[in-house]
Amino acid sequence: MESKVFSIGILVSGRGSNMEAVIRKVEEGYIKNAKVVVVISSRRDAPALEKARAHGVEALFIDPKDFWKEPDYERREKLREEYDRKIIAELEKRNVDLVLLAGYMLKLSPHFIRKYKGKIMNIHPSLLPAFPGLNAQKQALEYGVKYAGCTVHFVEEEVDHGPIILQAVVPVYDDDTVETLSERILEKEHEIYPEAVKLYVEGKLEVSGRKVRIKA
Ligand code: GAR
């Protein structure tokens, strides 16, 4: 019997190195029975778009038209949902089973999160629950932690909050700058994101409340 091929959609806003790490592991056959079918960027000039195309992956820019600048909360959230519905339409056209956020800098609407419940992953450059939000590596340095790292988690409505799938730890050195620490963390990001995707595709992740058990 042929096994199911998982269709993966990746949302990006920038460089796309995590996106590329996942695409490579699929190409190399390390992640089997999966295909990255679309990359969607919230920024027209995101280098991730060209990187995806260089791997033969369809890459789209969907213009958010700066909806986050809308000062009225309710109107802003309505615009957020309208934007997300456009993304969902593209994901649905391609029967996407798993959505990866890879440096995607917009908060998803509750509508999106409910629609793909348990099927959205994110990577964050800190050991959550420490240092959620922006500039996590800078936050870690300023706090004076001795160890930093990264986290792959399922996405819930609260930002950087959902059940943790994998984490990796790196040391923080006295002479670290945001750049050197970010680079050390990024290397680990490129290991654990593809690993988490592989476990998901293999059906090895069992979520119960906040806990994700990795089946043997
Ligand atoms: C990565 O370090 C990722 O963990 C971070 O943005 C960077 C994107 O780099 N994400 C967040 O901070 C999300 N809260 P990339 O575009 O090269 O993958």
Side-chain angles (χ1 to χ4, degrees):
M1 204 181 76
E2 283 213 1
S3 25
K4 173 185 163 58
V5 174
F6 275 82
S7 293
I8 300 173
I10 308 183
L11 307 190
V12 297
S13 303
R15 180 176 55 185
S17 72
N18 278 289
M19 170 207 78
E20 199 169 31
V22 171
I23 293 175
R24 285 217 169 101
K25 290 296 179 191
V26 172
E27 285 171 350
E28 289 166 11
Y30 181 72
I31 303 171
K32 294 190 180 63
N33 299 322
K35 186 168 192 278
V36 179
V37 293
V38 69
V39 166
I40 299 176
S41 173
S42 64
R43 281 190 41 201
R44 191 189 303 275
D45 59 353
L49 287 168
E50 276 315 308
K51 279 188 188 155
R53 290 180 190 129
H55 287 271
V57 176
E58 192 183 2
L60 316 173
F61 161 62
I62 303 182
D63 193 348
K65 297 184 186 136
D66 293 356
F67 72 74
W68 55 89
K69 289 186 181 160
E70 164 59 50
D72 180 80
Y73 174 79
E74 293 207 345
R75 272 206 297 269
R76 185 169 66 244
E77 293 313 299
K78 191 165 167 282
L79 292 172
R80 185 187 306 282
E81 183 171 320
E82 278 169 19
Y83 181 65
D84 281 2
R85 282 180 188 273
K86 289 186 199 160
I87 297 178
I88 290 169
E90 298 299 335
L91 299 176
E92 283 188 330
K93 261 190 233 167
R94 295 164 183 83
N95 297 315
V96 164
D97 304 293
L98 174 65
V99 180
L100 304 180
L101 309 185
Y104 185 64
M105 294 326 247
L106 296 179
K107 188 172 165 256
L108 294 175
S109 61
H111 173 72
F112 193 119
I113 292 169
R114 276 183 226 128
K115 178 110 196 155
Y116 285 94
K117 190 168 165 37
K119 298 177 180 173
I120 315 170
M121 287 183 191
N122 180 40
I123 182 132
H124 184 74
S126 80
L127 293 170
L128 290 172
F131 316 125
L134 293 176
N135 305 317
Q137 303 93 332
K138 183 164 180 276
Q139 293 185 56
L141 266 187
E142 284 173 358
Y143 199 90
V145 294
K146 300 293 186 195
Y147 291 92
C150 48
T151 304
V152 181
H153 63 93
F154 284 112
V155 171
E156 290 191 342
E157 287 190 29
E158 200 177 323
V159 172
D160 297 330
H161 179 81
I164 290 171
I165 303 165
L166 291 176
Q167 292 187 302
V169 178
V170 303
V172 179
Y173 301 125
D174 290 345
D175 59 354
D176 262 330
T177 60
V178 173
E179 288 69 33
T180 58
L181 179 60
S182 300
E183 184 137 333
R184 196 172 307 122
I185 294 172
L186 193 64
E187 247 178 67
K188 292 290 178 189
E189 294 185 42
H190 296 165
E191 290 173 17
I192 67 170
Y193 213 0
E195 193 61 35
V197 173
K198 177 176 154 74
L199 290 168
Y200 182 92
V201 168
E202 290 174 351
K204 289 192 176 159
L205 299 179
E206 198 175 80
V207 187
S208 152
R210 281 214 50 83
K211 299 214 176 127
V212 180
R213 194 173 74 88
I214 299 172
K215 293 190 259 178

